[in-house]
């Protein structure tokens, strides 16, 4: 598909080279298998993490500790190319780098950073991020997982749900409530006694991704397992902002793949003795989708520049996440109509993207949560309670 708005002119040569490298990796290494991974609900996480680590994509926007320290825009473009293949693949990179690694990088001690970040950057060690609970998603302040002191140790009890990579992870970042200290973060090796993880199955979305439930039953941790720089909800919320930024770009990739697939299809599919692309109603749908995709791409790039300049605000990321995921899902659904019955098969990626985007619409903050964040910024009044 031609670059309708000449967006490449807004990118540096380095951005374009990295984007194209990841696009080739996606086409050669990932796309040939992703429909099978989605259908079977099985994905070789460790093998893929090693490949992604070799490309330097895990924690790529962090400085030092084996990470390349790329720009936020470059990281966003990587997310875009990975999600163009499948949202689950972008989630693997996002959870590893923007949640688990970023939590240690931002809130951890120097010893924790040196111990965990280098092997996580190579994919040798896989991380997960335990915040969401069975009864508390949009309201993490209500979490029931507890942390209590026992001498110099901490004892954790509770459960977490919808945790990407949880049952394959080597280390979990777990958030828990202390009666005396409020919400705290902990680095929990998953072989710690009392820690168990169960893979969640029967999903209709993000099937090319491992989703798990975590259980902590008197998990005893030494004092130095606590993230010393995290206290209160600001700790996990800062990590969520990092992950949401990747979604702003990633959702654009899913939408682009749907539209490119549909353009190829309507050019060759004949209806009433001429290509489907030659009908007015088809072209109006294509034009509307291309316009929304271009706007979403421009918004993502603008937010990338703000982040690179150090001026981005959480509510701006909410604007990007709300708009781009919502429009990507609309594009995927509209593309499905042009593919007809073929659109519901795994021979084409469109409904797979749509199913995945249903989850992306909800996680890292639902659309309604982001609407309220934006509304609070506009009015100065909180409508959360």
């Amino acid at each position: 598909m031609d670059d309708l708005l000449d967006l490449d002119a807004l990118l540096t040569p380095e951005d374009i080279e990295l984007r194209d490298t990841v696009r080739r990796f996606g086409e050669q290494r990932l796309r040939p298998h992703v429909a099978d991974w989605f259908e079977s609900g099985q994905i070789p996480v460790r093998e893929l993490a090693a490949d992604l680590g070799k490309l330097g994509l895990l924690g790529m926007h962090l400085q030092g500790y084996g990470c390349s320290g790329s720009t936020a825009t470059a990281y966003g473009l990587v997310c875009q190319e990975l999600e163009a293949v499948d949202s689950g693949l972008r989630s693997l990179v996002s959870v590893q780098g923007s949640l688990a690694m970023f939590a240690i990088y931002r809130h951890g001690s120097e010893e924790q950073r040196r111990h965990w970040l280098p092997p996580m950057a190579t994919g040798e060690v896989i991380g997960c991020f335990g915040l969401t609970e069975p009864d508390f998603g949009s309201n993490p302040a209500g979490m029931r997982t507890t942390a209590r002191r026992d001498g110099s140790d901490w004892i954790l009890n509770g459960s977490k749900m919808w945790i990407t990579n949880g049952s394959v992870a080597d280390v979990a970042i777990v958030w828990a409530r202390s009666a005396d200290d409020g919400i705290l973060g902990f680095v929990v090796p998953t072989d710690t006694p009392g820690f168990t993880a169960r893979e969640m199955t029967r999903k209709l979305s993000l099937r090319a991704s491992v989703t798990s439930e975590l259980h902590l039953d008197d998990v005893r941790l030494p004092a130095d397992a606590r993230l010393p720089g995290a206290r209160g909800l600001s700790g996990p919320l800062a990590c969520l902002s990092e992950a949401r930024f990747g979604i702003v770009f990633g959702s654009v990739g899913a939408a682009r793949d749907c539209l490119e697939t549909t353009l190829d299809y309507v050019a060759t599919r004949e209806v009433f003795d001429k290509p489907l692309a030659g009908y007015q109603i088809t072209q109006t749908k294509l034009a509307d989708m291309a316009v929304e995709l271009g706007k979403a791409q421009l918004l993502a790039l603008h937010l990338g520049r703000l982040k690179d300049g150090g001026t981005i605000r959480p509510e701006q990321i909410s604007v990007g996440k709300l708009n781009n995921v919502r429009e990507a899902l609309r594009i995927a659904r509209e593309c499905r109509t042009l593919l007809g019955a073929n659109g519901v098969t795994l021979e084409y990626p469109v409904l797979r993207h749509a199913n995945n985007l249903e989850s992306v619409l909800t996680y890292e903050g639902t659309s309604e949560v982001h609407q309220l964040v934006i509304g609070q910024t506009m009015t100065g009044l909180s409508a959360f309670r």
Side-chain angles (χ1 to χ4, degrees):
M1 184 176 68
D2 290 336
D3 185 354
L4 187 65
L5 299 179
D6 195 20
L7 295 177
D8 277 8
L10 303 178
L11 303 178
T12 67
E14 293 77 16
D15 287 339
I16 294 172
E17 182 180 4
L18 176 62
R19 181 201 64 189
D20 291 349
T21 296
V22 178
R23 186 176 297 182
R24 285 192 298 271
F25 171 76
E27 293 298 320
Q28 296 169 8
R29 174 68 179 89
L30 304 175
R31 196 176 292 277
H33 309 289
V34 70
D36 291 334
W37 294 336
F38 187 93
E39 185 171 31
S40 68
Q42 301 291 323
I43 183 170
V45 174
R46 291 200 169 275
E47 183 180 329
L48 292 176
D51 290 342
L52 294 163
K54 288 176 184 175
L55 286 174
L57 306 184
L58 302 178
M60 59 180 286
H61 54 305
L62 307 180
Q63 295 280 350
Y65 309 100
C67 305
S68 61
S70 73
T71 65
T73 301
Y75 170 64
L77 292 170
V78 166
C79 290
Q80 177 178 295
E81 296 308 318
L82 292 174
E83 195 146 358
V85 182
D86 193 86
S87 299
L89 300 169
R90 195 265 310 144
S91 291
L92 170 59
V93 169
S94 180
V95 168
Q96 179 84 347
S98 291
L99 290 179
M101 292 178 70
F102 182 79
I104 297 171
Y105 181 83
R106 168 67 67 86
H107 304 301
S109 66
E110 184 62 22
E111 181 180 354
Q112 288 169 336
R113 296 186 194 109
R114 292 184 183 276
H115 179 80
W116 291 108
L117 293 180
M120 294 178 79
T122 63
E124 177 186 354
V125 169
I126 294 173
C128 67
F129 188 84
L131 177 63
T132 301
E133 296 189 358
D135 296 319
F136 294 95
S138 295
N139 178 25
M143 72 173 64
R144 292 174 179 155
T145 299
T146 61
R148 63 176 176 85
R149 293 182 184 273
D150 184 29
S152 62
D153 291 346
W154 290 93
I155 308 296
L156 270 57
N157 281 281
S159 62
K160 303 291 182 179
M161 186 172 273
W162 308 114
I163 309 303
T164 298
N165 296 339
S167 53
V168 296
D170 303 290
V171 60
I173 305 301
V174 175
W175 301 92
R177 179 184 299 281
S178 164
D180 298 323
D181 302 292
I183 294 174
L184 303 174
F186 296 87
V187 182
V188 184
T190 58
D191 60 0
T192 304
F195 180 98
T196 57
R198 177 184 66 85
E199 184 172 358
M200 302 172 69
T201 57
R202 306 187 74 182
K203 298 183 298 181
L204 297 176
S205 178
L206 289 178
R207 292 180 54 78
S209 177
V210 174
T211 309
S212 309
E213 186 173 355
L214 311 182
H215 294 279
L216 301 103
D217 185 10
D218 287 336
V219 172
R220 180 178 291 272
L221 299 169
D224 61 7
R226 186 172 74 83
L227 293 170
R231 187 181 297 269
L233 269 180
S234 62
L237 292 182
C239 302
L240 289 176
S241 286
E242 286 292 306
R244 289 165 181 161
F245 174 79
I247 291 171
V248 174
F249 277 84
S251 55
V252 169
R256 188 195 73 209
D257 192 52
C258 290
L259 187 51
E260 288 178 345
T261 299
T262 302
L263 279 168
D264 289 342
Y265 182 86
V266 298
T268 57
R269 174 69 171 182
E270 290 202 354
V271 179
F272 301 115
D273 301 321
K274 76 173 184 178
L276 183 57
Y279 289 91
Q280 289 184 357
I281 196 166
T282 301
Q283 292 191 10
T284 58
K285 288 183 176 184
L286 294 173
D288 286 347
M289 289 189 287
V291 168
E292 291 306 320
L293 177 61
K295 288 156 62 176
Q297 290 173 313
L298 285 167
L299 176 56
L301 288 172
H302 175 63
L303 294 178
R305 302 305 186 212
L306 290 178
K307 197 171 193 314
D308 284 328
T311 62
I312 198 166
R313 303 191 305 272
E315 64 268 21
Q316 293 171 326
I317 296 178
S318 286
V319 171
K321 205 266 187 180
L322 174 66
N323 181 80
N324 285 13
V325 179
R326 189 164 59 185
E327 295 308 317
L329 184 54
R330 287 173 178 167
I331 288 171
R333 289 169 174 167
E334 190 76 289
C335 286
R336 212 293 298 168
T337 69
L338 289 171
L339 268 68
N342 286 318
V344 305
T345 75
L346 283 174
E347 296 302 312
Y348 298 90
V350 174
L351 194 59
R352 172 169 56 81
H353 281 307
N355 281 9
N356 286 337
L357 287 166
E358 289 286 355
S359 290
V360 180
L361 189 72
T362 301
Y363 69 37
E364 316 286 359
T366 65
S367 290
E368 293 80 2
V369 164
H370 291 297
Q371 286 172 317
L372 295 182
V373 169
I374 296 165
Q376 182 174 345
T377 300
M378 295 173 66
T379 66
L381 299 172
S382 174
F384 282 95
R385 295 183 184 275

